[in-house]
Amino acid sequence: MDKPIRNIGIIGAGGISEAHLQAAALEPRVRVKAIADLDKKLAQGRGAPYGVKAFYTDYRDMLADETIDAVILCLPNFLHKEAAFAALDADKHVLCEKPLAMNSREAKEMADKAQRAGRLLMPAQNNRFHGDTLLLKRLVEEGKLGALYHAKTGWVRRSGIPGWGSWFTSREKAGGGPLIDVGVHMLDLTLWLMGFPRPVSVFGQTYDRFGPRKKGLSSWGTPNLEGSYDVEDLAVAMIRFENGASLSLDASWASHIREERTFVDLYGEDGGASLDFRQHQLVLYHEEAGVPSDSILHPPKQNERLLLIRNFLDAAEDRSEAVCRPEHGIDVLRVLDAIYESSRTGSLVTLN
């Protein structure tokens, strides 16, 4: 996988594609050559300000362009596998928006396909590239916190159901609600910080107290108030790992809370850490001469989307290892699958 990437195609012109267009515009090694979307006017409006010249209504026509070296998938979740397979068959590297797939089975099939094709498949977990998360990862790896034995993480909104009645709120097309939409970010990030310990049991519960009443809606996505809502708006879970560590996870689109929070709390034998994305704050908790002490760190801000695309390019060109790997996407989805199963059955789910 050492051929340089020069031209990128984007499949799907929804809101998240804007972030990738902005990042690619800052990376001199590549350009976005084409965008494919069923709505050609949407694709043109999205791409023209960034100098994109080619637009397609069928992404398979775009994939036939042999000068396009890689694609970024910005599609609804249920289309990830199909589009990734087509791109890999066309000998393209693939950067796929989260979640990697609808479930762990599909993610495994995508990873196997990429391995057979000899192409890179990378989940777009951009939160790993924030300045404060990179610093926290380094501190964990240096042993500053000691052995990690527990973590709390979550992305909880007071009001923020996206695209009510669209694919966002369809279990068949999204796979779930906030758990697979925003919870996947925080679960991935926390597992990465913990070194991806092997999960052995999961207990979870989901609730739908806002969506069915059309409460807690957000401006993200295109709503269809004649549509339907059959996903959760709150999910909570407890995960236990083979090494004895544990993790609690909360994810909500809407809930009666003071304010939106996006956070990770790490509990280590020699210290702790609290990362709050909303407050842009990283705090370490430790002891000095037996006295509790707090250290507020101020790492430089990073353009996480730019660092994501640079790592994607470097990994595809065999310059470095991919920070986000498909096996991580599979592991994250195995846990999400188990949370949904536990909520459905009311029982603890054991993972092999």
Side-chain angles (χ1 to χ4, degrees), residues 25 33 56 106 113 139 161 169 186 188 202 222 253 285 292 346:
K33 183 178 182 181
Y56 300 84
E106 285 191 357
K113 177 77 171 180
L139 294 174
I161 296 176
T169 64
M186 306 316 296
D188 172 84
V202 174
T222 303
W253 279 337
Y285 306 104

Side-chain angles (χ1 to χ4, degrees), residues 73-346:
L73 303 187
C74 301
L75 294 166
N77 301 346
F78 75 104
L79 296 174
H80 285 188
K81 176 186 169 183
E82 175 186 311
F85 269 47
L88 293 167
D89 281 336
D91 203 31
K92 318 296 186 189
H93 301 289
V94 178
L95 179 62
C96 182
E97 263 301 326
K98 59 77 199 168
L100 188 56
M102 289 279 283
N103 51 56
S104 59
R105 174 185 54 79
E106 285 191 357
K108 178 67 163 57
E109 291 172 357
M110 290 166 64
D112 290 345
K113 177 77 171 180
Q115 185 175 32
R116 292 193 300 271
R119 301 288 90 183
L120 175 65
L121 171 66
M122 182 169 165
Q125 291 290 358
N126 59 291
N127 285 304
R128 297 190 189 186
F129 295 91
H130 285 280
D132 41 17
T133 53
L134 290 169
L135 174 58
L136 181 53
K137 178 65 171 176
R138 179 169 62 82
L139 294 174
V140 170
E141 292 182 337
E142 290 175 352
K144 301 298 185 183
L145 306 184
L148 299 179
Y149 59 88
H150 182 59
K152 294 181 180 180
T153 190
W155 190 330
V156 289
R157 292 176 179 163
R158 183 165 183 170
S159 181
I161 296 176
W164 196 103
S166 70
W167 71 268
F168 274 110
T169 64
S170 165
R171 184 172 300 278
E172 181 181 6
K173 294 182 177 180
L179 180 63
I180 200 169
D181 178 38
V182 294
V184 66
H185 272 302
M186 306 316 296
L187 179 60
D188 172 84
L189 179 60
T190 308
L191 290 176
W192 178 63
L193 289 168
M194 298 176 76
F196 270 89
R198 192 175 78 84
V200 294
S201 62
V202 174
F203 183 80
Q205 184 65 51
T206 63
Y207 304 89
D208 58 350
R209 300 296 188 263
F210 287 77
R213 297 186 294 152
K214 298 181 183 177
K215 303 293 185 181
L217 308 190
S218 79
S219 59
W220 180 266
T222 303
N224 173 19
L225 298 183
E226 301 301 317
S228 62
Y229 186 103
D230 65 354
V231 298
E232 81 282 358
D233 43 52
L234 168 67
V236 296
M238 174 65 77
I239 302 124
R240 186 174 182 276
F241 301 99
E242 187 177 45
N243 62 2
S246 56
L247 166 63
S248 66
L249 168 68
D250 293 352
S252 76
W253 279 337
S255 44
H256 291 305
I257 56 177
R258 184 178 66 181
E259 60 186 359
E260 181 171 348
R261 292 192 65 213
T262 311
F263 65 94
V264 178
D265 295 331
L266 300 180
Y267 295 66
E269 293 181 355
D270 299 324
S274 179
L275 174 60
D276 190 320
F277 282 128
R278 312 303 297 183
Q279 300 296 325
H280 303 289
Q281 189 173 76
L282 173 62
V283 183
L284 298 185
Y285 306 104
H286 49 97
E287 288 187 356
E288 293 183 4
V291 178
S293 178
D294 301 348
S295 298
I296 300 176
L297 305 182
H298 301 283
K301 288 188 176 181
Q302 306 269 20
N303 184 328
E304 74 277 4
R305 288 283 177 180
L306 177 58
L307 294 183
L308 170 71
I309 199 168
R310 283 178 175 170
N311 181 244
F312 174 66
L313 299 176
D314 289 343
E317 297 170 8
D318 286 331
R319 296 175 183 270
S320 67
E321 293 291 327
V323 172
C324 308
R325 304 197 296 270
E327 57 265 33
H328 293 165
I330 297 168
D331 289 345
V332 167
L333 282 163
R334 286 183 70 231
V335 174
L336 296 188
D337 292 346
I339 294 171
Y340 282 125
E341 181 183 352
S342 176
S343 180
R344 179 179 59 82
T345 63

